[in-house]
Amino acid sequence: MSRTIIISNRLPVKISRTAEGELSFRPSEGGLATGLGSIYKEGDNLWIGWPGIHFQDEEEESFVKKELLKENMLPVDLTTEEIKLYYEGFSNETLWPTFHYFNQYALYKKSYWQSYERVNQKFCDAVLAVANPDDTIWVHDYQLLLLPDLIRDKLPHVSIGFFLHIPFPSFEVFRLLPWRRQLLDGVLGADLIGFHTYDDMRHFLSAVSRICFLSNHHGQITKDGRIVEIDAFPMGIDYDKYARSSAAPETLSREVKYRTSLGEVKLMLSIDRLDYSKGIAARLQIFDLFLEKYPQYQGKVSLLMVVVPSRDSVDKYKDLKEEVDLLVGRVNGKYGSVNWTPIHYFYRSFPLEDLSAFYRIADVALVTPMRDGMNLVCKEFVASKLDQKGVLILSEMAGASKELSEAIIVNPNDKHQVRDAIKKALEMSEDEQVKHMEIMQATLKKFNIHHWVELFMQRLDEVNQKQLKMNTKLLDEKIESEMQDSFASSEDRMLFLDYDGTLSPFTGNPQDASPDEELMEILTHLSQIENTRVIVISGRDRHTLEKWLGDLPIEFVAEHGVWMKWNGEGWMLLDSLDASWKNDIRPILDIYVNKTPGSFVEEKDYSLVWHYRKVETGLGELRAREIISHLKYLAVNMNLQVLEGNKVVEIKNLEVNKGKAAARWLEDDMQNTFIMAVGDDWTDEDTFKAMPESAFTIKVGDRRSAARFSVRDHSVVRRILRELGNVNVSQD
Ligand code: GDG
């Protein structure tokens, strides 16, 4: 039976050692653990991750493994060095600062990277030891960016989802990473990649387009013949859990206790892990500014600030802790009195009942991160406000701000704006508070954590169905051997081969793609086999094809079918074609060449091609769209077709296409003829469609095609052709 396997850096469990040296297991309270609890605890499903402790010996390791397995968890043991280099190092000192736009804090250390690679491999080994090809795998977060592709390599058809919990930065920041390409290739091993917000998603797509040269269509990328879908799935909270906890008697009694000791002041609340991305220091400076500018609030409002210890072995976090301690001391020293403390500061974590009491008690939640993937604290505050009174001040840099537009949205760098937002929040009428809170609660109730899990899993399943339904089947060994048998046993053989992207890789300059020695050898060899015809069917002009391949005993279709050359005969023109339209269209294309550095026009006998492979990424695509819309009506009137290819826009006569040309080689009875057609772009689709059903039609790259099979790239095509050339054909 197929299973779901969740993988994250940490397992959803807290294991601690008691004073007597015994181990105690407590389930983690995190939102993710709750949300995914409905999945991983079911049947044979599993959660794989680091258990958070170092095993003292093998006996302890096997005991912990056994205990965890009872709860459907499988631990990955990490050494002290791996925690230092992979976790604290690459994850938290390289990726975390870069992804949160603190790239000046990022360390680019080779030893960190190497450990990150090794640990991702370690996680992969743990997955492979238990996973089956029909399982569904869901990988979480920035510590495991390489994992999807590592798994894909060994289980090519398994369904893999990936979710990033932190922001994905703009391409300009992401590109700073020395290992940017490997990181993207790693994550692109997934079938579905999810982000909290649309902005993260578009930053990712832009990085993929610029670094991996893969474009997307409505968030869908095709990589190595596979579909990869990218989308935004804003993560929610376990709404009912927070609402319930807010009404619990234990919470109410703690609220009374805290209210009594705090006195009759208004209360602002902030809760964060200690992190520079959370804007804790700036928040303290803002509170200082607020008390200074509005002295009437001195003695009337306090800030309850919970900072949860985190990553305190990383230098930057130690520095931040010192800075926060200092600022709290300064503000309290400057304004405090015997009966009023401006800031109640706690550097520790609290149980949920306390947290809920804080959420209840607070008049204002001050959530002002410099950058945050989502931020769950603000959502928990809203869910805990059962009487709907309270105001949320929320940084526009938190993913949550995209959903909670009823909050007072601020830019945390604009200290004066936040200072005044505090005043506005404290003075907001109760009616208005309720009005905003109601709308936010309705959103969070619907888009809760269970909804998030369901949406993601459903979508992953849909992508999986899409992969299965794709017309083409990845060419495997079995089909290849069938193909070789058919090649050997047929009386005649016919191979229609596209050139660019099929026999040869794309180059910046089309003229640089001349055949290399290997290709010449393959084609020579094939064309020498008896009763075997090789037809190169290309969009290129006949002069180039003649120059490059004219010495071989092969046949040609040039300019997508304008020109044809049968064995031993001269070039033949397709019917009577008109080329006078070029005089009207060429000047238009020249305008675009003039304003687009790196682009040029290729003029063929019966078509014009605007090339933009060397144009700045993005600009080329923009101009291509401009050209297409510029020529749209003109083309219809002039009986032309405007087609978008691989970094080209081609204009040619409507009646020209590769399929029509290829059909001239085909006869009625071809039962004893082995036919193969290979191509990589839309112009080859016409060839595929023109072929008899039994033909071996092969698409290179993309799997959405009329072809029966697909292969990854031109190097696979070459290997297949080389092996066909070595087959012993029947002599009778
Ligand atoms: C990352 C992304 C994204 C805090 N103090 C206590 C406590 N907490 C709980 C909160 C909340 C969670 O910790 C913090 O979640 P955040 O979302 O605010 O922040 P990160 O830890 O940085 O999480 C973030 C998130 O992943 C999910 O995708 O939203 O952007 O950075 O649930 O309640 N819980 C308890 N005691 C505490 O003292 N029990």
Side-chain angles (χ1 to χ4, degrees):
M1 224 192 51
S2 72
R3 296 180 303 179
T4 300
I5 302 176
I6 312 273
I7 307 143
S8 67
N9 174 59
R10 274 298 301 271
L11 281 175
V13 64
K14 282 183 194 148
I15 308 179
S16 42
R17 231 179 274 281
T18 60
E20 295 77 43
E22 294 206 344
L23 294 176
S24 84
F25 296 77
R26 268 187 309 130
S28 149
E29 291 158 355
L32 190 64
T34 326
L36 297 176
S38 56
I39 296 186
Y40 82 94
K41 287 181 186 153
E42 239 174 59
D44 283 342
N45 292 351
L46 258 188
W47 190 321
I48 299 179
W50 183 52
I53 54 154
H54 296 297
F55 301 125
Q56 277 173 348
D57 47 40
E58 278 178 20
E59 195 187 333
E60 185 174 279
E61 183 175 349
S62 82
F63 168 72
V64 171
K65 271 196 175 151
K66 228 168 46 211
E67 288 302 301
L68 291 178
L69 214 53
K70 287 186 200 158
E71 302 291 324
N72 287 11
M73 286 186 257
L74 187 73
V76 176
D77 183 26
L78 297 181
T79 64
T80 316
E81 199 200 11
E82 283 167 344
I83 287 297
K84 202 167 155 31
L85 301 177
Y86 140 83
Y87 179 66
E88 289 165 6
F90 199 76
S91 299
N92 290 336
E93 289 189 310
T94 309
L95 294 178
W96 180 275
T98 307
F99 281 40
H100 285 85
Y101 294 81
F102 281 85
N103 49 282
Q104 71 278 21
Y105 290 179
L107 301 181
Y108 307 131
K109 289 195 188 177
K110 201 164 166 210
S111 58
Y112 285 3
W113 165 248
Q114 286 168 335
S115 178
Y116 187 81
E117 277 186 305
R118 271 197 307 273
V119 173
N120 270 257
Q121 184 60 53
K122 204 169 186 175
F123 271 84
C124 178
D125 295 342
V127 175
L128 294 176
V130 294
N132 294 312
D134 57 349
D135 287 343
T136 298
I137 294 174
W138 190 2
V139 181
H140 287 266
D141 230 358
Y142 64 106
Q143 300 91 350
L144 298 173
L145 288 169
L146 303 179
L147 186 56
D149 198 50
L150 291 173
I151 301 174
R152 173 75 54 215
D153 196 40
K154 295 287 182 283
L155 293 173
H157 302 296
V158 78
S159 172
I160 308 177
F162 179 89
F163 189 83
L164 186 74
H165 289 263
I166 65 173
F168 194 91
S170 136
F171 160 70
E172 289 300 339
V173 172
F174 183 77
R175 74 190 305 191
L176 300 172
L177 288 165
W179 307 277
R180 58 215 177 165
R181 178 71 200 246
Q182 291 97 311
L183 292 166
L184 291 180
D185 283 342
V187 77
L188 284 171
D191 299 291
L192 175 64
I193 303 173
F195 297 94
H196 280 306
T197 70
Y198 171 70
D199 280 341
D200 298 320
M201 163 187 167
R202 79 186 166 77
H203 289 153
F204 178 77
L205 289 172
S206 139
V208 168
S209 137
R210 280 143 197 273
I211 295 168
C212 308
F213 307 107
L214 293 171
S215 56
N216 82 91
H217 186 65
H218 299 308
Q220 184 174 306
I221 290 170
T222 303
K223 183 171 192 279
D224 301 336
R226 260 186 331 105
I227 290 176
V228 184
E229 294 209 341
I230 325 295
D231 209 343
F233 299 87
M235 184 176 161
I237 55 165
D238 187 347
Y239 192 93
D240 291 339
K241 175 180 140 183
Y242 284 93
R244 246 192 341 263
S245 170
S246 180
E250 182 54 35
T251 300
L252 300 183
S253 71
R254 290 184 197 209
E255 183 191 7
V256 172
K257 192 177 87 187
Y258 292 133
R259 187 34 85 201
T260 315
S261 42
L262 284 165
E264 279 311 302
V265 290
K266 290 253 185 192
L267 204 68
M268 290 204 297
L269 175 68
S270 84
I271 300 179
D272 318 85
R273 263 187 320 97
L274 179 75
D275 203 293
Y276 45 81
S277 66
K278 304 285 183 184
I280 303 170
R283 195 178 304 147
L284 291 167
Q285 287 159 356
I286 290 167
F287 191 48
D288 186 357
L289 286 178
F290 170 78
L291 293 174
E292 189 177 272
K293 171 96 194 257
Y294 304 109
Q296 66 272 30
Y297 278 104
Q298 290 180 20
K300 304 269 171 25
V301 56
S302 289
L303 173 64
L304 173 61
M305 195 167 85
V306 177
V307 176
V308 182
S310 164
R311 304 176 194 171
D312 37 21
S313 46
V314 174
D315 283 347
K316 275 278 170 268
Y317 290 75
K318 281 187 212 151
D319 297 348
L320 176 63
K321 166 79 174 45
E322 276 172 31
E323 192 187 357
V324 169
D325 287 352
L326 205 80
L327 281 166
V328 171
R330 192 178 298 161
V331 176
N332 278 347
K334 187 168 161 192
Y335 301 99
S337 65
V338 178
N339 45 17
W340 172 61
T341 307
I343 303 170
H344 299 276
Y345 167 47
F346 302 95
Y347 181 63
R348 62 185 168 94
S349 66
F350 289 87
L352 181 62
E353 299 74 34
D354 282 316
L355 220 58
S356 289
F358 294 157
Y359 285 142
R360 281 181 68 91
I361 248 182
D363 300 282
V364 177
L366 196 50
V367 183
T368 53
M370 292 298 164
R371 212 40 92 155
D372 218 334
M374 171 52 71
N375 192 291
L376 301 179
V377 167
C378 60
K379 294 189 169 183
E380 294 163 7
F381 169 73
V382 171
S384 306
K385 287 296 185 195
L386 303 182
D387 63 358
Q388 298 177 321
K389 285 178 206 139
V391 183
L392 172 63
I393 298 178
L394 179 58
S395 160
E396 65 180 62
M397 309 298 172
S401 69
K402 309 289 190 297
E403 284 167 274
L404 300 177
S405 50
E406 290 295 308
I408 301 182
I409 304 289
V410 293
N411 173 356
N413 299 300
D414 187 345
K415 295 201 169 87
H416 294 116
Q417 185 202 20
V418 186
R419 177 197 67 190
D420 295 343
I422 294 176
K423 182 163 181 286
K424 184 176 165 192
L426 291 170
E427 291 170 5
M428 191 180 282
S429 72
E430 286 195 350
D431 282 354
E432 212 178 328
Q433 293 178 27
V434 171
K435 195 179 83 191
H436 295 305
M437 198 57 87
E438 236 170 25
I439 297 175
M440 293 194 282
Q441 288 187 342
T443 305
L444 297 185
K445 226 181 249 175
K446 176 166 164 49
F447 292 93
N448 62 31
I449 182 78
H450 306 293
H451 186 79
W452 178 76
V453 171
E454 223 167 88
L455 270 187
F456 191 91
M457 293 307 270
Q458 213 172 24
R459 185 66 183 280
L460 183 55
D461 189 48
E462 279 166 24
V463 184
N464 201 20
Q465 296 301 326
K466 247 192 228 175
Q467 308 273 30
L468 291 174
K469 268 201 222 127
M470 275 196 309
N471 307 350
T472 62
K473 183 173 180 322
L474 213 54
L475 194 95
D476 57 19
E477 279 173 25
K478 187 166 159 273
I479 300 159
E480 211 180 322
S481 117
E482 269 172 35
M483 196 161 74
Q484 289 171 356
D485 291 348
S486 163
F487 186 88
S489 61
S490 299
E491 278 172 22
D492 298 295
R493 285 158 283 274
M494 225 176 235
L495 292 88
F496 294 92
L497 308 173
D498 166 54
Y499 188 82
D500 294 275
T502 300
L503 294 176
S504 184
F506 286 103
T507 54
N509 182 350
Q511 290 309 320
D512 292 343
S514 60
D516 53 25
E517 217 173 292
E518 184 198 29
L519 180 58
M520 289 306 273
E521 218 174 89
I522 292 171
L523 293 178
T524 308
H525 198 83
L526 277 173
S527 57
Q528 279 167 353
I529 300 173
E530 60 177 311
N531 300 336
T532 304
R533 298 170 79 176
V534 175
I535 304 111
V536 168
I537 179 161
S538 164
R540 283 194 179 259
D541 69 82
R542 65 194 161 116
H543 307 291
T544 307
L545 292 177
E546 185 74 54
K547 187 168 81 189
W548 287 352
L549 303 165
D551 290 341
L552 298 176
I554 62 174
E555 300 164 76
F556 297 98
V557 170
E559 284 192 36
H560 299 116
V562 173
W563 294 98
M564 280 162 276
K565 190 179 181 208
W566 273 266
N567 226 347
E569 292 177 23
W571 285 96
M572 216 188 75
L573 184 62
L574 171 79
D575 307 328
S576 51
L577 283 174
D578 171 37
S580 61
W581 57 267
K582 288 202 294 182
N583 298 332
D584 298 320
I585 302 292
R586 173 87 205 212
I588 297 176
L589 294 183
D590 285 340
I591 296 173
Y592 287 91
V593 170
N594 268 341
K595 59 178 186 176
T596 318
S599 77
F600 63 93
V601 174
E602 179 190 2
E603 183 157 352
K604 303 188 208 170
D605 292 339
Y606 291 91
S607 68
L608 290 172
V609 191
W610 184 75
H611 287 256
Y612 63 93
R613 186 167 303 279
K614 285 203 252 177
V615 176
E616 181 189 351
T617 311
L619 181 65
E621 284 73 12
L622 175 73
R623 292 277 189 264
R625 282 196 297 278
E626 283 174 18
I627 292 179
I628 291 167
S629 88
H630 193 149
L631 296 180
K632 206 151 102 195
Y633 297 108
L634 216 57
V636 175
N637 293 335
M638 297 170 91
N639 210 24
L640 300 172
Q641 48 183 329
V642 181
L643 297 163
E644 239 190 311
N646 196 314
K647 304 278 181 193
V648 295
V649 175
E650 176 144 15
I651 301 106
K652 61 181 181 180
N653 288 61
L654 206 51
E655 54 272 45
V656 173
N657 89 47
K658 283 185 179 178
K660 277 191 188 168
R664 298 199 172 203
W665 266 262
L666 304 174
E667 289 158 19
D668 287 344
D669 180 19
M670 305 207 76
Q671 265 187 353
N672 281 323
T673 306
F674 167 89
I675 301 176
M676 177 191 208
V678 197
D680 74 302
D681 73 11
W682 42 266
T683 63
D684 302 306
E685 293 298 315
D686 294 327
T687 314
F688 299 143
K689 286 180 204 149
M691 295 293 136
E693 251 177 53
S694 58
F696 289 91
T697 45
I698 303 173
K699 170 89 170 177
V700 182
D702 203 332
R703 286 175 72 181
R704 285 161 306 175
S705 165
R708 288 170 62 205
F709 309 110
S710 67
V711 294
R712 201 186 60 236
D713 59 22
H714 76 279
S715 66
V716 184
V717 177
R718 286 189 180 196
R719 184 186 56 71
I720 290 172
L721 294 177
R722 203 178 317 112
E723 281 166 21
L724 279 183
N726 292 335
V727 166
N728 267 336
V729 299
S730 64
Q731 299 299 314
D732 34 77

